[in-house]
Amino acid sequence: MKRCIGLVSLSILAITLSACSVTPKQYNPHESVGPQVHKTITGIDAGAGIMASTQKALTGYGLKQQDWQLQTSSTAAMCSQLEKSIRYKQPIVVTAWQPHWMFKKYPIKFLKDPKGIYGKSEQIDTVARKGFQKDNPGAYKFFQQFKWNPDLMGDVMYANFKGADPQKTAKQFIKQHPKEVAQWTAGVPDGNGKQVRMTYVTWDDAIASTNVTAQILRDKGYKVTMTAMEAQPEWSSIARGSADVTTAAWMPVTSGPLYAKFKDQVEVVGTNCPGARVGLAVPKYMKNVNSIEDLKK
Ligand code: PBE
C-alpha cells in the first residue's frame, strides 16, 4: 500500500513537472493570428511616436473594434520578448522601426501598411530652437551639413547594443570615417568653448546620433552638453530655448504630433538620415501574415 501511494505521488510529480516544462505553443499558420497573440501588439514606452501611430493603426484597420490592444513596454523589454518568441517559434506582433539593430539581430519583417498610417517614408531630421542659427552659426552650419544613412547609423547602434560605451563608439566612428566628418565640418569655425545644448530620448538611434555629433563638435572646440529626457519635455525644452537642438526627430509622421505642437517655436535644420521606416513587424516564420490587414483574419 505504502509503495502504491509512493508510486502515485511520483507519477503526480512527473505530470506536474512535465506540465511546467512544456514548451510554449508555437505559431500555427492554420489558425487566425489574433487569438494566438491574445490580440496584443507588444509596444515600447508610452511617449514614443510609434505608440501613438499604432493606436491610430488599431482604429484605422478595424483592430480596436476586435478588441486588439497595444501593450506598453520598453525597447529592451520588447526585444527580449521578441527574442524569446523567436526561440520557441511562437507568434508575436511588435512595433518596429529602422534604422535599428533589431532587424540585424532577429529574423523579422515589416507588415505592409496599405493605409499608410505610419507614413509612406520616414526620415530623421535635426530640429533646433528658433534663434539657434543667429546665436551659434558655426554649430548650426555643422548640423545643416550632418547627413548620414541607415547603414552608417546601424553600425554605430549595433556597436552600442553589443555593449560598447556610446562615446567610445562615436570616437571610433570619427576615426574610421574621416571623409564624412570632413564633409560635415567643412567651413565650420572652431567653437572656442561656445556652448551647444543637445537633448535626446534614450532610444538607440538618438544615443547614436547625439554622441557622434556631440563628439565631432567637441573635437572642434565646442562645449556640448547632452541631456536625456522624455520626448515631450525634449521638444518643449527646445521650444522654450532651454535646449538648442536634437538630431532625432522622426518625420513627418512619428514625431509629427510633437512637431505640430511646437512648430512655431522650433525649426527643422535638415534631414540627417533618410530612408527610415516605422510600423509593425512579425517573425519571418509567420509566413501568412504580411500586412497589418492580415491581423484581422
Ligand atoms: N522610435 C525610435 C521613436 C523615435 C525613435 C521610432 C521608436 C518614436 O518616437 O517612436
Side-chain angles (χ1 to χ4, degrees):
M1 190 59 195
K2 231 188 192 163
R3 203 159 155 189
C4 198
I5 293 172
L7 259 177
V8 168
S9 51
L10 247 183
S11 54
I12 287 174
L13 183 70
I15 289 165
T16 318
L17 275 178
S18 70
C20 289
S21 66
V22 103
T23 42
K25 229 175 157 194
Q26 292 196 344
Y27 174 64
N28 181 349
H30 307 295
E31 272 171 31
S32 63
V33 59
Q36 295 192 66
V37 296
H38 308 287
K39 295 192 173 175
T40 299
I41 293 166
T42 306
I44 58 169
D45 39 305
I50 197 173
M51 295 295 276
S53 299
T54 302
Q55 290 294 357
K56 283 182 200 144
L58 285 181
T59 314
Y61 286 96
L63 292 160
K64 186 115 228 153
Q65 296 83 324
Q66 284 189 0
D67 296 325
W68 277 74
Q69 49 171 354
L70 173 61
Q71 188 189 311
T72 305
S73 166
S74 66
T75 306
M78 181 190 82
C79 287
S80 85
Q81 195 64 46
L82 183 59
E83 181 158 338
K84 239 188 264 162
S85 300
I86 288 170
R87 192 180 315 141
Y88 297 112
K89 290 228 160 29
Q90 290 176 286
I92 186 167
V93 183
V94 295
T95 56
W97 59 96
Q98 211 168 22
H100 193 269
W101 49 261
M102 68 175 98
F103 282 90
K104 203 165 177 151
K105 176 126 205 276
Y106 308 118
I108 56 173
K109 60 181 179 187
F110 268 117
L111 296 183
K112 288 196 192 81
D113 172 21
K115 292 186 197 287
I117 290 180
Y118 292 94
K120 284 236 149 37
S121 73
E122 287 280 277
Q123 78 227 8
I124 308 177
D125 285 356
T126 301
V127 170
R129 66 176 169 89
K130 282 222 163 120
F132 181 51
Q133 179 171 27
K134 201 174 96 244
D135 298 341
N136 198 338
Y140 189 90
K141 187 176 173 66
F142 165 73
F143 284 111
Q144 264 182 323
Q145 293 173 169
F146 168 58
K147 182 169 177 173
W148 55 358
N149 59 53
D151 281 343
L152 289 178
M153 205 173 164
D155 292 344
V156 172
M157 276 190 269
Y158 200 60
N160 291 341
F161 160 69
K162 288 279 191 185
D165 168 53
Q167 196 181 6
K168 277 204 190 114
T169 308
K171 285 181 180 163
Q172 197 164 10
F173 174 88
I174 291 166
K175 221 186 265 162
Q176 290 168 347
H177 298 86
K179 211 180 75 209
E180 281 83 0
V181 175
Q183 276 166 8
W184 302 339
T185 53
V188 174
D190 282 341
N192 293 317
K194 215 170 166 87
Q195 213 185 26
V196 179
R197 300 161 304 168
M198 299 192 71
T199 177
Y200 68 109
V201 183
T202 54
W203 287 318
D204 307 73
D205 61 288
I207 292 171
S209 62
T210 307
N211 274 276
V212 166
T213 51
Q215 192 56 47
I216 295 171
L217 283 171
R218 283 176 185 143
D219 292 346
K220 286 288 284 178
Y222 290 83
K223 190 170 165 282
V224 186
T225 58
M226 305 189 306
T227 309
M229 48 184 94
E230 299 281 316
Q232 173 84 25
E234 173 194 36
W235 281 79
S236 72
S237 68
I238 293 171
R240 268 200 321 275
S242 56
D244 294 317
V245 64
T246 176
T247 49
W250 288 55
M251 301 284 272
V253 174
T254 313
S255 302
L258 285 166
Y259 176 69
K261 191 165 172 185
F262 296 110
K263 70 175 182 308
D264 295 336
Q265 297 114 284
V266 303
E267 176 193 329
V268 177
V269 180
T271 293
N272 68 63
C273 184
R277 191 169 170 191
V278 176
L280 298 180
V282 299
K284 284 183 177 161
Y285 52 78
M286 292 172 74
K287 283 205 163 62
N288 54 342
V289 184
N290 293 301
S291 163
I292 301 175
E293 281 182 326
D294 295 336
L295 298 177
K296 252 192 322 193
K297 292 179 184 160

